[in-house]
Amino acid sequence: MNFSEVFKQSNQLCKVSPDGKYLATCVQYRLVVRDFNSLQIVHLYTCLDLVMHMEWSSDSLFILCAMYKRGLVQVWSLEQPDWHCKIDEGSIGLVSSRWSPDGRHVLNTTEFNLRVTIWSLCTKSVSYIKYPKACQKGMDFTADGRYMALAERRECKDYISVFVCDNWHLLRHFESETQDLAGLEWSPNGCVLAVWDNCLEYKILLYSLDGRLLSSYSAYEWSLGIKSVAWSPSSQFLAVGSYDEKVRILNHITWKKITEFEHPTTIINTKAVVLKEVEKRPVVGSEDLSIHQLTMDNSLFSTQSKYEITQLPAQVPVIKPDPDRANPKIGISALAISADNRYLATKNGSFQVQSLFWHCSGSSLVLLSKEHICLCYMEAEEEK
């Protein structure tokens, strides 16, 4: 397993392009686009303010940068660096922004979740959808880009609306059997919609495209429940991470648990490989420091880090959460399944890695910390 050098980023804004050719990061108000293989800068854009959200279009030709404090969205083109688009929501504000699957529409959610505004980059037309719910993940598209599921809140009840993305017409509208819907996500094949309740109740529901309830699953009661959900690319498995520091895998036939993974504080498995981040700070007076570094380069005051293999058994550091603060940093907060369905990456507790995701090839795992980004390369296994 090999690691690249560390690059700066802000607000955990780091995304690999869908075609796997580019890596985009945001450093305050600058957008940096690198070649994924060489990690050399190929494009550099300057936004009007601090970027709070960044996202690639599905065809990897455009990049969306949202500045929520100013209610602005800027769209940049890789093919035509001089072209750009600016969307201003005005006094109604902006809390979230994302692409439609075709990469030619921008969906903005206004403050207080009053509505979802759909902007077309081709025809410059505008459409509106009312009553979106403010939740962890209230909007999702099928992998083929045909349908959009939207969580709604009406008359103190949760509803789900399914729209056709070609013309944004309503296809289905049904009530969800949740107390306080926290998120929803389509399976990669677009046949099943997973819906889960808020953290006060462990409950996940599986709906078909026409709104029928296929199954529901609950691992336990009277404790903090689901924290993260991820489908396998094959749609055969559903990974559910919870506050009890376990990941449960459900199968797509019976929707029952087939296995679960724990996160022990002491790792004694002889087949496991534990990597520990080691920080290194240059020492003044050492022979490897040149005059140029001492006078011009600020690397003298920066800390470099690398990952080394730790001897087993290994003790994982644990930080106890503050019981007096909301949203305790416990449980499985991030899940990522590789494209070949072979590996499952998880983030447990309050570790420095804030988020993680796989490269489309399934051979590289991107680790995102508070201020830096690092790429982890999985070595190919020999065929037996």
Side-chain angles (χ1 to χ4, degrees):
M1 185 177 292
N2 302 316
F3 295 88
S4 71
E5 62 177 300
V6 177
F7 299 102
K8 286 187 176 182
Q9 52 83 25
S10 303
N11 298 321
Q12 296 86 54
L13 296 181
C14 171
K15 297 289 179 64
V16 179
S17 61
D19 59 8
K21 295 181 179 180
Y22 302 101
L23 176 69
T25 58
C26 285
V27 183
Q28 295 182 350
Y29 58 89
R30 286 190 175 92
L31 172 63
V32 183
V33 180
R34 300 176 185 271
D35 181 87
F36 188 85
N37 293 322
S38 65
L39 297 178
Q40 298 297 315
I41 297 177
V42 294
H43 293 290
L44 182 63
Y45 305 97
T46 302
C47 299
L48 295 175
D49 203 346
L50 179 67
V51 180
M52 303 299 295
H53 174 71
M54 179 263 293
E55 184 176 343
W56 284 94
S57 61
S58 57
D59 54 7
S60 304
L61 297 179
F62 298 94
I63 305 179
L64 175 153
C65 294
M67 291 141 279
Y68 296 146
K69 291 183 179 180
R70 296 184 58 175
L72 292 176
V73 174
Q74 286 186 276
V75 180
W76 305 95
S77 172
L78 264 67
E79 288 188 334
Q80 303 176 9
D82 296 333
W83 179 94
H84 74 279
C85 169
K86 184 178 75 171
I87 300 174
D88 191 349
E89 289 290 349
S91 59
I92 198 170
L94 180 68
V95 295
S96 68
S97 181
R98 65 172 300 172
W99 285 106
S100 64
D102 62 0
R104 298 300 180 269
H105 293 82
V106 177
L107 286 78
N108 291 339
T109 303
T110 61
E111 283 188 347
F112 306 108
N113 284 74
L114 296 177
R115 70 187 185 196
V116 175
T117 308
I118 305 173
W119 300 84
S120 174
L121 301 183
C122 299
T123 64
K124 298 182 180 180
S125 61
V126 183
S127 303
Y128 302 98
I129 301 176
K130 295 183 178 180
Y131 311 116
K133 182 178 181 181
C135 57
Q136 177 184 358
K137 187 177 182 181
M139 180 190 303
D140 195 35
F141 296 91
T142 54
D144 57 9
R146 296 180 60 187
Y147 305 108
M148 178 187 75
L150 180 69
E152 301 178 358
R153 188 72 174 180
R154 304 184 183 186
E155 299 177 353
C156 300
K157 294 182 180 180
D158 292 329
Y159 293 88
I160 298 174
S161 293
V162 180
F163 294 88
V164 181
C165 294
D166 290 339
N167 49 24
W168 304 106
H169 288 173
L170 181 64
L171 177 65
R172 290 286 187 273
H173 179 74
F174 54 92
E175 183 178 351
S176 173
E177 297 183 14
T178 52
Q179 296 295 327
D180 185 11
L181 189 151
L184 49 81
E185 184 173 339
W186 288 103
S187 60
N189 59 13
C191 296
V192 181
L193 179 66
V195 180
W196 58 95
D197 224 318
N198 69 351
C199 64
L200 297 180
E201 183 177 1
Y202 194 117
K203 186 178 184 181
I204 186 166
L205 307 169
L206 291 311
Y207 288 97
S208 63
L209 183 60
D210 58 2
R212 291 182 295 111
L213 179 61
L214 301 177
S215 182
S216 63
Y217 176 78
S218 177
Y220 51 81
E221 296 179 348
W222 315 115
S223 185
L224 293 178
I226 297 174
K227 192 169 187 177
S228 57
V229 174
W231 286 95
S232 67
S234 63
S235 302
Q236 295 179 317
F237 306 102
L238 180 63
V240 183
S242 51
Y243 281 87
D244 65 349
E245 300 183 337
K246 295 182 180 180
V247 178
R248 295 169 176 85
I249 308 297
L250 311 182
N251 71 86
H252 74 295
I253 299 177
T254 63
W255 300 113
K256 302 298 182 182
K257 182 186 73 174
I258 57 175
T259 188
E260 69 179 26
F261 300 103
E262 299 182 357
H263 291 71
T265 57
T266 302
I267 301 176
I268 58 177
N269 187 354
T270 57
K271 296 182 179 180
V273 177
V274 180
L275 299 175
K276 182 180 180 180
E277 184 179 11
V278 179
E279 294 183 348
K280 179 181 179 182
R281 187 182 299 272
V283 180
V284 177
S286 60
E287 297 179 356
D288 58 342
L289 285 177
S290 63
I291 299 299
H292 176 74
Q293 285 180 305
L294 291 173
T295 57
M296 302 293 295
D297 196 358
N298 62 358
S299 62
L300 175 63
F301 305 100
S302 62
T303 300
Q304 297 180 351
S305 63
K306 62 178 181 179
Y307 289 85
E308 297 180 349
I309 298 179
T310 303
Q311 296 293 330
L312 297 180
Q315 188 73 24
V316 179
V318 177
I319 302 176
K320 294 185 178 180
D322 186 356
D324 297 330
R325 300 184 63 180
N327 302 319
K329 294 182 178 180
I330 58 174
I332 313 301
S333 59
L335 295 168
I337 302 178
S338 61
D340 55 6
N341 299 281
R342 297 176 62 189
Y343 303 106
L344 169 65
T346 66
K347 174 185 177 294
N348 179 40
S350 56
F351 296 136
Q352 294 299 320
V353 176
Q354 307 246 339
S355 61
L356 43 85
F357 52 91
W358 289 94
H359 184 257
C360 59
S361 63
S363 60
S364 301
L365 178 66
V366 180
L367 307 177
L368 211 57
S369 65
K370 186 176 181 180
E371 296 179 350
H372 298 92
I373 170 182
C374 183
L375 273 67
C376 170
Y377 301 97
M378 307 295 294
E379 296 181 356
E381 296 183 1
E382 297 182 358
E383 294 185 1
K384 297 181 179 181

